[in-house]
Amino acid sequence: MSITYKNVNILDGTKDMKLQENMMITVTGGNISAIKPNDPSADGIDLGGKYIIPGLINLHVHTPGNGFPKKKQTDSKKVAKLVMSNKLFQQIGLYLCKDAIKTEVLSGTTTIRTVGGLGHFDSQLRDKVSANKLLGPRIVSCDSAITIPGGHMEGSVAYGALDDDDFVRFIADNVNAGADWIKIMITGGVLDAKVKGEPGEMKMTPEQVKLCCETAHRLGKKVCAHVESPKGVEVAIENGVDSIEHGSAMSDETVKKFKDLNRVLVCTLSPAIPLAKFDPEVTGGNDIQRYNSEVLLEGIIDGTKKCLKAGVKVGLGTDTVCPFITHYDMWRELEYAHYLLGLDRSECLYLATLNNAEIIDLDKETGSIEVGKSADFIVVDDNPLDGFDTIRKPELVVFKGKEYKKPQVKKSPEAEEKLDEYLNSLKA
């Protein structure tokens, strides 16, 4: 079966993309089979001059939860222990994760990399989506992350390894369960920092990081790592981490190592913004968290700008489900990159599509509107290069050729209001 979408304007996701006006795209068997100038006489669906962009790719997602704001922060360790305590609760937890990935794809994010979850839920979800038994995006899974007792998110979406044997065992267990990547938590984070000015306190030792990377690489898997301090970035780069998540302020020497050792930085602007920029009455945070979020946000912006200038490979992710960071708002990360990193919107779109696909080795399959690739794209009313907020209400989402017309997802009015206020302040 083939279907043709006529009278569309295409932004194809490639690095030097130019707007291709008055085009048509044919999809056959779930793949793009033709891209041609528009032929008004051809059979097909007339999209009336709307815009098509590739499905977005989010490289930093946690599936447990929805990111909706709460007045009081949840004890995630206690909740995770309850969910994993028996098969009934595991099924309930898995159901909530199913809802999360459904929201992702209906919002136009057609590929995600999960970077820390409950047990092996994410690999299970990936397999069900691949088998067409579940509605969701293409998933690259890490399953539960790995850290030390007392490390970042230990006991919730991360295992706490007691010794070297534990590190090796946890990594092998994830690989045997089908995880695509291995995630480690090298430093602490904003939510667990105890003092001001230390959003990324070192948790794992350089020797532990090296052991994890060597073990994962020996088993054929790449490693991504939670890092929120300059020292953490150095340790990650020097000991084999392939993808440094979040980042921080960086010296010129560190950036040079980043480039020379061919490491990747996945920038996540979204999670630090609410805690840094919103009133603590709104976020439920405290003074330490707000101060450290400011430090982290400015560090990420500074470090990412330096990496981009030096030619380091930089990807984008949202860190869903931090407070206010939902499964439907990947478009905001692109808009933040435009305003906070000073990038053209065409570059932001490239980073979140073909570039992100290259980081997770899926660029032959997805990430751009090209003949032979999976038909993963979003149809929107307005030109995204004039503002990515047009993606918040897609006319159509297509994933592997399957259509989702005018998709609707449950949203948090409070999150929408506060995040819009902040975005409007950037535009002013």
Side-chain angles (χ1 to χ4, degrees), residues 93-362:
L94 193 58
Y95 177 82
L96 295 175
C97 294
K98 290 177 184 178
D99 189 60
I101 64 169
K102 178 181 177 181
T103 298
E104 291 278 353
V105 74
L106 293 181
S107 302
T109 300
T110 54
T111 301
I112 63 173
R113 183 181 62 174
T114 64
V115 287
L118 296 173
H120 304 303
F121 283 7
D122 292 340
S123 289
Q124 294 172 35
L125 294 169
R126 176 204 59 206
D127 293 344
K128 288 182 181 295
V129 170
S130 297
N132 295 315
K133 295 180 179 179
L134 194 63
L135 174 56
R138 183 183 291 101
I139 297 174
V140 174
S141 67
C142 285
D143 288 343
S144 185
I146 299 163
T147 186
I148 63 167
H152 186 61
M153 303 306 290
E154 182 265 329
S156 58
V157 297
Y159 303 115
L162 297 173
D163 53 30
D164 287 358
D165 288 342
D166 260 0
F167 281 115
V168 173
R169 182 164 53 252
F170 286 143
I171 291 170
D173 184 53
N174 276 6
V175 172
N176 290 335
D180 300 299
W181 281 60
I182 297 300
K183 171 71 179 294
I184 61 176
M185 305 287 201
I186 294 177
T187 75
V190 167
L191 293 177
D192 49 35
K194 299 295 191 294
V195 298
K196 288 184 177 181
E198 200 172 59
E201 178 188 12
M202 290 298 300
K203 297 294 183 179
M204 294 176 63
T205 66
E207 292 77 17
Q208 290 169 333
V209 173
K210 185 176 182 180
L211 173 64
C212 287
C213 291
E214 289 179 343
T215 302
H217 292 159
R218 186 171 64 250
L219 295 174
K221 303 298 178 182
K222 290 184 177 180
V223 177
C224 54
H226 167 97
V227 180
E228 293 187 357
S229 69
K231 179 63 175 178
V233 171
E234 291 177 13
V235 168
I237 291 171
E238 293 171 355
N239 290 282
V241 171
D242 300 284
S243 171
I244 286 86
E245 311 294 303
H246 313 304
S248 70
M250 299 181 207
S251 67
D252 292 342
E253 182 182 358
T254 297
V255 173
K256 186 177 186 303
K257 287 181 183 178
F258 231 123
K259 176 68 173 175
D260 291 346
L261 294 175
N262 200 30
R263 308 304 189 213
V264 171
L265 173 66
V266 174
C267 172
T268 61
L269 296 164
S270 294
I273 287 170
L275 286 170
K277 301 300 182 181
F278 298 175
D279 192 307
E281 288 291 322
V282 172
T283 62
N286 56 45
D287 287 342
I288 292 176
Q289 291 171 348
R290 187 173 191 178
Y291 182 92
N292 285 338
S293 294
E294 286 274 13
V295 171
L296 178 62
L297 180 59
E298 292 306 313
I300 289 175
I301 292 170
D302 175 70
T304 303
K305 283 182 175 180
K306 285 183 176 179
C307 283
L308 286 166
K309 185 177 180 180
V312 172
K313 189 78 164 175
V314 174
L316 295 180
T318 59
D319 204 3
T320 306
V321 290
C322 287
F324 285 84
I325 314 305
T326 67
H327 289 285
Y328 53 79
D329 264 352
M330 178 61 183
W331 69 268
R332 290 187 191 272
E333 188 70 22
L334 280 69
E335 201 76 338
Y336 296 150
H338 170 63
Y339 284 106
L340 299 177
L341 301 179
L343 303 178
D344 291 339
R345 285 197 175 93
S346 60
E347 185 171 2
C348 298
L349 183 58
Y350 161 69
L351 291 181
T353 54
L354 183 58
N355 170 78
N356 271 0
E358 290 169 351
I359 289 172
I360 51 177
D361 301 314
L362 287 177

Side-chain angles (χ1 to χ4, degrees), residues 35-52:
I35 302 173
K36 300 178 180 178
N38 190 53
D39 179 359
S41 66
D43 292 335
I45 299 172
D46 191 326
L47 291 178
K50 295 184 187 300
Y51 295 79
I52 283 185

